[in-house]
Every structure is written in structure tokens, then in C-alpha cells.
């Protein structure tokens, strides 16, 4: 079994530990009313998008999400939260250095023995969710679970859905599709983008991601027999019917959206195996992007 398979299968236990530790990190995470930005790169950026939408939707304060390289330095924030599995990503470390003494910062990382430990004002360590694989699975979802629990939005049913996602067979014919589109609404738009990224990284699949209501505005034109459209969360009225009318395969998100992402991770591994690819060695990728000066 590959590293990524082992790691994605451990997610229910990791989520439980993260939820239990949310109280321990209360002071390091955004307080109600703070104006907050959440940043990351790659997968962490998509988790930042989901977390920002959840926090603002819960009425906890204005919350934005940015790729670390695109942070608007002229915009004032009470706190910036950086998600970084490795703790070594160049863009994240540069952002934290630039904000030191100006804006309070928190880093959520899987490895405390890295430069991020001294770069941020506060540190949240999820070392039990760190990974050997290049392709992120459990660290990303565990970090988001911690932030959901901090907002009071995590429940035991989420873990139960994750266990279901790991044990229920994937829909027939799904792994044979030639193209995959993932859709979200609100906080699940970030999850849809992450789902598409997982399929690209692990299986070199042709994938796209959109807000669900935007899908009708052009992207649905590629949908046909042999393509799949997967909704993470509740679908807009009539969209499933429209997709099925094209001949495309429609996948309803019946579990908690974070658990649906686990199903996508399993699909990525399955498609990689069918194509003779090693998901632990994705093409052109490394565990952390460290740029030379």
C-alpha cells in the first residue's frame, strides 16, 4: 500500500484528535470579531478558502483567503493564519517575515522543527497528521477539521461520514471516466478545487472545479458520455438533471463535504493504479516548494 493510501485511511482518527485539541489552541486561533486572512500554497490555499468561508459564514468576523504569494500587504488584518504542512514553503516564510511586528500571525504545521516555528507569533502543531507522501491528504483535512472545531462546526457525524467514505465502494464506471469536474457552494468551493488538484497530482487526470452555479455558464459544454461531475455539498435545484441529460455521470455528495473529499482521494489513487502510476511519486512535484534565492 502506498504512503498516500495509508495516510488517507487514517483521517477519521486524525480528525478526532484535531477536534479534541481545538480548545488547547484557542488563544492561537482567531478570536470572534477579528479581521482575519488565512493563507497557504496549493492544497493549503484551498483549505484556507474553505476555512475563510466557514468562519465568515458563522458570523465570527470578516475573513479572507489568499495564496501566500498574492497576499495584499496594504490591507489591514488583526491576524493572519498560515497553513503549511512542511513549515518550509518559501512563499509562506516570506509572508510571515514581512508581517513580523506588524500583524499577529499563527502557523498551522505538521512539523514544528522547521523555520516556521520561529517565523510565526503563534504555532499550532498537528504532527500526528504529518505525511511522508508528496500528495497531501490527511494534513489538509485535519487542519480544516481543527478550524471547524474551533468554530463549533465539527460533530461526530463528520467522522462517521469519513469512515463511510473509506468503506463504501466508489460508483461503477467512475474510475473509467476521461474527465472529472468538481463543484461546490460556499465553503465547499475550496474543497472542489482541492478535489480537482488531487486528481491531477496523483493520476494526471483532466479535471476542473467551479462554484456550482457557475457550471452552467460555459463549463457544462464539455460534459458528455465518459465524463463525471461530482457535487460536494448540496446541489442547486435542477443541476443533476441537466448533467444527466448530457450523458455525463452525475455524483451526488451525500456525505459531509469533507468526507466527500476523502472519497475523491480514494478515486485519485484508484485512477492512478489503473493508469500504472505511482501516487507517491507525482510528476514534477516535491513535498515542499523551496525556491532558490
Amino acid at each position: 500500500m502506498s504512503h498516500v493510501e495509508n495516510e488517507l485511511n487514517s483521517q477519521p482518527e486524525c480528525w478526532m484528535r484535531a477536534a479534541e485539541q481545538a480548545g488547547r489552541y484557542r488563544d492561537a486561533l482567531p478570536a470572534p470579531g477579528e479581521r482575519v486572512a488565512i493563507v497557504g500554497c496549493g492544497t493549503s490555499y484551498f483549505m484556507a478558502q474553505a476555512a475563510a468561508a466557514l468562519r465568515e459564514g458563522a458570523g465570527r468576523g470578516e475573513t479572507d483567503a489568499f495564496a501566500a504569494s498574492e497576499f495584499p500587504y496594504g490591507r489591514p488584518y488583526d491576524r493572519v493564519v498560515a497553513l503549511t504542512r512542511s513549515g518550509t514553503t518559501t512563499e509562506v516564510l516570506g509572508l510571515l517575515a514581512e508581517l513580523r511586528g506588524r500583524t499577529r500571525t499563527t502557523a498551522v504545521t505538521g512539523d514544528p522543527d522547521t523555520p516556521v516555528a520561529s517565523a510565526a507569533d503563534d504555532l499550532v502543531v498537528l504532527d500526528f497528521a504529518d505525511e511522508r507522501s508528496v500528495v497531501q491528504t490527511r494534513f489538509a483535512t485535519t487542519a480544516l477539521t481543527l478550524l471547524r472545531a474551533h468554530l463549533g462546526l465539527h460533530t461526530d457525524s463528520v467522522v462517521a461520514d469519513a469512515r463511510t467514505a473509506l468503506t463504501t465502494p466508489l460508483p461503477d464506471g467512475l474510475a473509467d471516466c476521461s474527465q472529472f469536474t468538481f463543484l461546490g457552494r460556499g465553503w465547499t468551493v475550496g474543497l472542489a478545487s482541492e478535489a480537482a488538484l488531487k486528481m491531477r497530482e496523483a493520476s494526471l487526470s483532466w479535471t476542473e472545479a467551479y462554484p456550482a452555479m457557475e457550471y452552467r455558464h460555459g463549463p457544462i459544454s464539455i460534459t458528455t458520455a465518459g465524463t463525471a461531475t461530482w457535487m460536494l455539498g448540496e446541489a442547486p435545484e435542477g443541476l443533476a438533471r441537466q448533467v444527466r441529460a448530457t450523458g455525463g455521470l452525475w455524483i451526488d455528495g451525500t456525505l459531509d463535504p469533507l468526507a466527500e473529499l476523502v472519497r475523491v482521494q480514494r478515486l485519485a489513487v484508484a485512477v492512478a493504479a489503473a493508469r500504472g502510476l505511482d501516487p507517491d511519486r507525482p510528476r514534477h512535484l516535491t513535498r515542499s516548494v523551496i525556491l532558490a534565492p
Side-chain angles (χ1 to χ4, degrees), residues 170-178 180 249 267 270-271 274-275:
L170 294 170
D172 290 340
L174 180 59
D176 298 323
C177 288
S178 60
F180 303 87
L249 178 62
L267 174 64
V271 173
R275 296 177 178 178

Side-chain angles (χ1 to χ4, degrees), residues 7 10 14 17-18 21 24-25 84-85 108-113 123-132 138-139 142-143 146 287:
E7 289 158 359
S10 70
C14 288
R17 290 187 64 177
Q21 293 189 14
R24 168 184 171 188
Y25 290 114
T84 169
R85 174 181 65 169
V108 181
T109 186
D111 188 351
D113 299 320
L123 193 66
V124 174
V125 178
L126 303 176
D127 51 356
F128 58 88
D130 201 1
E131 298 160 326
R132 294 181 63 183
R138 71 181 182 192
F139 177 78
T142 300
L146 177 85
R287 187 174 183 275

Side-chain angles (χ1 to χ4, degrees), residues 185-269:
R185 301 177 82 179
W187 74 280
T188 71
V189 171
L191 298 189
S193 293
E194 169 59 8
L197 180 63
K198 284 289 88 66
M199 294 295 296
R200 292 187 205 108
E201 290 177 330
S203 65
L204 305 182
S205 295
W206 171 21
T207 64
E208 299 180 353
Y210 301 97
M213 292 296 288
E214 285 296 304
Y215 183 57
R216 297 181 174 99
H217 295 268
I220 196 172
S221 62
I222 65 167
T223 306
T224 187
T227 71
T229 303
W230 192 326
M231 183 72 211
L232 281 75
E234 185 178 354
E237 179 67 29
L239 185 56
R241 183 174 61 254
Q242 285 182 274
V243 170
R244 292 187 179 111
T246 70
L249 178 62
W250 171 265
I251 306 297
D252 252 327
T254 57
L255 303 174
D256 180 87
L258 198 57
E260 285 292 321
L261 181 58
V262 174
R263 295 180 73 206
V264 178
Q265 294 168 351
R266 289 181 56 214
L267 174 64
V269 171

